[in-house]
Amino acid sequence: DQLIIGRRTSDGNQTVQILNYLGQKLYHNSNFKGDAIEVSSLENGIYLLRYSDQDEFSIERFVVQHN
């Protein structure tokens, strides 16, 4: 299972983090260059995706639901 990150146009450093709702950091990549993050190791639940680059900062909620 993968979490697809929308294409970003930034040429600078992109940082991506996945946090659980307790605020624990489960994934961190301060040099993110891809479009997807493997999430198959995460348990079913609600998580936060934190994205930042030189121009933008966002936090999005997403759900992992394995069948």
Side-chain angles (χ1 to χ4, degrees):
D1 298 327
Q2 291 187 326
L3 174 65
I4 305 300
I5 309 289
R7 289 207 181 265
R8 306 295 183 172
T9 58
S10 173
D11 293 330
N13 287 345
Q14 299 176 49
T15 299
V16 175
Q17 297 176 339
I18 294 177
L19 306 135
N20 64 18
Y21 261 84
L22 298 176
Q24 296 168 319
K25 195 181 308 179
L26 306 175
Y27 174 87
H28 177 88
N29 184 340
S30 59
N31 195 22
F32 185 75
K33 296 190 186 312
D35 292 331
I37 300 171
E38 184 64 38
V39 295
S40 60
S41 63
L42 297 178
E43 296 181 12
N44 289 347
I46 301 172
Y47 297 88
L48 297 174
L49 173 71
R50 187 175 181 182
Y51 172 89
S52 62
D53 64 20
Q54 296 169 337
D55 301 318
E56 183 180 358
F57 175 83
S58 65
I59 297 176
E60 301 290 334
R61 185 174 44 197
F62 69 96
V63 175
V64 171
Q65 180 66 48
H66 303 289
N67 294 328

